[in-house]
Amino acid sequence: MRGLHADTGYLLYRLGLRSGQLFNTFLQESGLRLRHYAVLRFLAGSEGSLQRELSTRLGYDPSAIVGLVDDLEKLGFAERRPSPDDRRSRIVVLTETGRVFLRDTDEAGQRVTNELLGPLDPAERATLHALLLRAADRP
């Protein structure tokens, strides 16, 4: 019988759980959670996104996206605008306040990553990152 630590899926789960706990602790003061942060980070790399695209790209339930965007709008970090392609649709865009929040959190986010990956040297971190990108890029 294999032990849990021989199961890569379980180890990834544990690492993800720990990462979420660290990020949520760091975000606690702002009132946001890791899911909000993920939406903001996604929006920072785009000109805006339909809510259904956010749901698909981030892997969140569409109803959860509505609540997350509502929260971000209340804080002034994101806003819904009419889509230039279809006035019935709304796109979610990052506001300047949201960009400032992300810039202010970069250093703290790096501290979380450093704590999480402390046992790895820089080359190992780069390899892990490349492997995770490759594995995560699959449908």
Side-chain angles (χ1 to χ4, degrees):
M1 184 167 154
R2 293 183 329 159
L4 278 177
H5 288 92
D7 185 327
T8 302
Y10 174 74
L11 293 174
L12 286 170
Y13 166 76
R14 287 280 309 268
L15 188 62
L17 187 63
R18 180 72 178 130
S19 176
Q21 290 169 338
L22 289 170
F23 266 97
N24 283 332
T25 298
F26 133 71
L27 290 169
Q28 189 172 26
E29 191 174 297
S30 69
L32 298 181
R33 310 264 310 149
L34 182 56
R35 294 179 135 221
H36 296 98
Y37 184 80
V39 171
L40 290 173
R41 276 282 166 219
F42 181 84
L43 292 174
S46 72
E47 294 293 319
S49 176
L50 295 170
Q51 286 184 175
R52 69 178 163 267
E53 181 187 10
L54 285 171
S55 173
T56 300
R57 296 293 298 271
L58 296 173
Y60 296 163
D61 186 83
S63 62
I65 289 294
V66 171
L68 293 169
V69 173
D70 287 347
D71 294 343
L72 294 172
E73 271 194 313
K74 286 176 191 165
L75 292 168
F77 292 168
E79 63 185 28
R80 292 176 176 99
R81 295 181 183 163
S83 169
D85 301 327
D86 180 357
R87 304 286 287 168
R88 295 170 296 167
S89 296
R90 312 284 283 170
I91 60 171
V92 182
V93 296
L94 187 65
T95 64
E96 186 56 33
T97 303
R99 288 188 195 289
V100 169
F101 174 80
L102 285 175
R103 272 194 304 272
D104 290 347
T105 61
D106 282 345
E107 186 179 320
Q110 190 58 52
R111 283 196 311 268
V112 168
T113 299
N114 288 340
E115 181 174 333
L116 196 63
L117 302 179
L120 305 180
D121 67 38
E124 290 170 324
R125 287 180 187 205
T127 299
L128 175 62
H129 187 84
L131 292 171
L132 290 173
L133 277 174
R134 199 165 80 199
D137 198 29
R138 295 185 51 149

